[in-house]
Every structure is written in structure tokens, then in C-alpha cells.
Amino acid sequence: MKARRDVYQAIADPTRRDIISLIASQADATQLYNVNAIAEKFDMTRQAISLHVKILADCGLLVITQSGRERFCEAKLERLDEVETWIEQSRKLWTRRFEKLDHYLNNVKSKSNGED
């Protein structure tokens, strides 16, 4: 069984994030982007875009459908749910830490002002 690429690794690249945004923002979901149409939107070769698309498909953020010689891409953003969950957990953790630090600094400041 082939190991699935990591979604975090896939979205770490700004070009791949831009590709996801482009495909996800399609006005008409019945009209899918093919790899050539995606490549036209970027200042890089079709081969480079094709590699980015493959990485996104390997991690489950895109589904590629073959029709003749064309490959069409559809965004599957459900895979970003795990990223959203991780970000939310991290935000809560750091918010608590900063609140504790703020409380500590306020106590130090109060004691410092009281000693004058």
C-alpha cells in the first residue's frame, strides 16, 4: 500500500496553496480545471505545475480525473479539516500560555509599583 503524502507538507509550498485556491474558487463546479489551464495561471512550466498537482493529489487535496489525454482537477478540501483542528488546538494552547504570562507580568508590575 502506497503511503499518502502529508497534507502539511503539501500546503507548505505557496504555489500549491495558490493552486488549491484557484481550483477551489471555481465559479462553476461543473467546469473543472485541467493541468494546462492551471499552468497558464502560473509563471512556471507545465511540468512543474504537474508535479505540484501530483503532490496535492497524493495527499488527497485534489482528485484527478482522466478524460482522454486531459487530466482534470477537483479540490477536496475536507483534508484541510485536520489542519484547521491542529491550528485551533495550537491557538488555544498559546492563548492560555500568553494569558498566564500576562497575569504573571501584571503581578510583577503591581508588586514593583507597590514597593516604590
Side-chain angles (χ1 to χ4, degrees):
M1 184 167 103
K2 182 179 171 184
R4 179 173 256 184
R5 283 189 190 262
D6 184 66
V7 71
Y8 297 96
Q9 180 186 20
I11 64 173
D13 185 279
T15 300
R16 290 193 286 267
R17 290 192 306 268
D18 289 344
I19 291 170
I20 293 167
S21 294
L22 173 70
I23 295 170
S25 68
Q26 296 177 124
D28 182 5
T30 61
Q31 180 66 35
L32 301 176
Y33 275 102
N34 64 25
V35 176
N36 288 330
I38 296 168
E40 289 173 2
K41 304 284 185 183
F42 295 88
D43 187 27
M44 58 180 58
T45 66
R46 184 191 180 288
Q47 290 80 10
I49 292 296
S50 195
L51 178 61
H52 285 299
V53 166
K54 181 181 180 339
I55 290 169
L56 291 168
D58 285 350
C59 77
L61 286 168
L62 293 181
V63 172
I64 301 173
T65 307
Q66 188 92 20
S67 179
R69 292 179 48 198
E70 293 294 326
R71 294 182 307 149
F72 294 93
C73 302
E74 181 181 357
K76 294 295 182 187
L77 303 181
E78 298 82 18
R79 285 282 290 156
L80 291 176
D81 289 347
E82 72 181 71
V83 176
E84 181 181 16
T85 300
W86 179 81
I87 290 171
E88 183 61 22
Q89 289 170 345
S90 296
R91 185 191 63 76
K92 288 178 182 176
L93 171 74
W94 284 103
T95 297
R96 284 192 305 270
R97 287 179 177 177
F98 285 128
E99 286 171 352
K100 286 180 180 180
L101 177 61
D102 190 47
H103 180 71
Y104 171 78
L105 293 174
N106 284 333
N107 283 341
V108 169
K109 184 178 177 182
S110 296
K111 289 179 183 177
S112 174
N113 288 338
E115 296 177 0
D116 289 340

